[in-house]
Amino acid sequence: GFSMELRRFNIFLYSNIHDKIKFLSEVEFEHGTEEIALETALLDVEFNPALNLRAGIILPQIGLVNTNHDSPNWEFVERPLSSTEIIPSTLSEVGFGLHGKLFPGKNILTYDAYLVNGLQENVILNGEGKTHIPSGKSPEMFEEDNNGVPMFNGKVSFSNKKYGEAGISYYGGIYNRFNMEGNIVEEKRNLSIVAFDLSAQIKKLKIFGEFAFANIEVPANLHEIYGTKQYGSFLELSYPVLKRKMLGFEKAALNINMRAEKIDYNIGAFS
């Protein structure tokens, strides 16, 4: 039948607490008020452009969309499958680390490195009936690490005004609870995601792309049911066909947009 939805509503708070200390936060309401989340609440302590300390609820730098997920930046309401099913965007984490920018020649080299609480054991044995990385997100992630071993996130990006930007990122660590009150109850299981992303512009054509590969360790007796390797990718093109004053808007644009994407929850075939 006919229905309507308020997909997202965001509130941003920003403050220059000090010349060297910045505060940023974002509260998001999704699907009306079905989901209300504090997606970002961080402090940046700036020493110089090449070295800055960041702590709080952060958005790990993984892929193209997680830290740049705000809807007005994209042509489609639906986020790419690789950025929601392989990379579990929007992924918010409690953590801390360093980030900065270097300027070799006319280029910009950006790096990020963080320790975070990490995803939890519902990556498997969840309501989806398959290996599902987004199911590893839990409100408990904001209270404590479920196994006391932080996950690591790192990204390096290289950008050039003429050619665009390309990045490689990593997110991973132990996701299951293997220790209970000092007793080892099961083997440690690791999860890792590696992503490559690019954004470029050829004349008027804008190009965005992402490829993400995930490797998830699962108990040996579940190998026939739960996938251990997954991947996802997308390519998005946007071309302006009309740019002029329209309907009272000074700089209105009409774009043609296309996105092609694919994900695989279980690479390979059953024997």
Side-chain angles (χ1 to χ4, degrees):
F2 181 83
S3 68
M4 292 172 278
E5 178 189 38
L6 176 63
R7 178 63 66 93
R8 297 185 182 97
F9 181 83
N10 299 66
I11 299 173
F12 292 91
L13 297 174
Y14 177 81
S15 176
N16 281 323
I17 297 174
H18 181 274
D19 287 345
K20 300 290 186 180
I21 302 175
K22 318 294 183 186
F23 171 77
L24 172 68
S25 70
E26 175 193 359
V27 180
E28 183 172 78
F29 300 80
E30 285 195 285
H31 311 291
T33 56
E34 182 181 340
E35 297 177 26
I36 303 174
L38 180 61
E39 293 198 338
T40 309
L42 60 85
L43 279 175
D44 270 345
V45 181
E46 302 175 353
F47 301 108
N48 62 63
L51 182 64
N52 303 279
L53 174 66
R54 174 169 290 173
I57 297 177
I58 65 175
L59 295 164
Q61 292 276 351
I62 174 76
L64 190 64
V65 176
N66 195 59
T67 52
N68 189 31
H69 64 270
D70 298 319
S71 298
N73 292 330
W74 296 91
E75 297 291 341
F76 296 98
V77 173
E78 297 293 343
R79 291 167 182 161
L81 292 171
S82 62
S83 304
T84 54
E85 294 295 292
I86 307 301
I87 300 168
S89 300
T90 302
L91 176 62
S92 301
E93 294 264 31
V94 179
F96 70 95
L98 301 172
H99 69 96
K101 291 182 178 181
L102 304 171
F103 303 91
K106 294 183 179 180
N107 306 304
I108 302 175
L109 184 67
T110 307
Y111 74 90
D112 293 82
Y114 305 108
L115 291 177
V116 296
N117 278 348
L119 296 167
Q120 302 194 352
E121 50 265 283
N122 284 343
V123 168
I124 61 170
L125 300 176
N126 50 60
E128 299 290 327
K130 62 190 173 195
T131 303
H132 191 238
I133 296 173
S135 294
K137 295 191 291 185
S138 165
E140 295 177 5
M141 294 165 56
F142 297 96
E143 301 173 14
E144 62 179 357
D145 192 323
N146 67 325
N147 53 35
V149 182
M151 286 191 173
F152 174 75
N153 166 236
K155 181 173 183 176
V156 176
S157 296
F158 182 83
S159 63
N160 178 282
K161 273 190 175 182
K162 183 177 179 180
Y163 299 107
E165 182 173 351
I168 179 172
S169 49
Y170 170 84
Y171 174 93
I174 298 167
Y175 70 90
N176 66 314
R177 190 188 301 270
F178 60 88
N179 187 322
M180 298 186 99
E181 297 183 358
N183 299 311
I184 303 299
V185 294
E186 61 178 323
E187 293 183 358
K188 298 177 182 178
R189 295 197 297 271
N190 193 72
L191 174 151
S192 61
I193 304 171
V194 177
F196 304 90
D197 62 79
L198 66 91
S199 57
Q201 185 165 342
I202 302 175
K203 294 185 177 180
K204 293 182 180 181
L205 178 66
K206 292 181 179 180
I207 303 170
F208 304 96
E210 177 180 85
F211 176 85
F213 175 81
N215 188 73
I216 308 100
E217 293 181 352
V218 304
N221 61 339
L222 296 179
H223 277 192
E224 290 294 325
I225 305 171
Y226 289 90
T228 59
K229 291 179 173 58
Q230 302 179 334
Y231 84 88
S233 62
F234 83 89
L235 179 67
E236 186 170 313
L237 306 177
S238 180
Y239 189 85
V241 295
L242 184 63
K243 276 190 173 183
R244 65 179 180 83
K245 182 177 180 179
M246 288 187 285
L247 302 174
F249 293 98
E250 293 293 331
K251 297 180 180 179
L254 178 65
N255 296 336
I256 292 177
N257 308 299
M258 184 202 77
R259 179 191 290 163
E261 55 188 339
K262 182 178 180 179
I263 57 173
D264 190 339
Y265 288 110
N266 194 349
I267 296 174
F270 290 112
S271 57

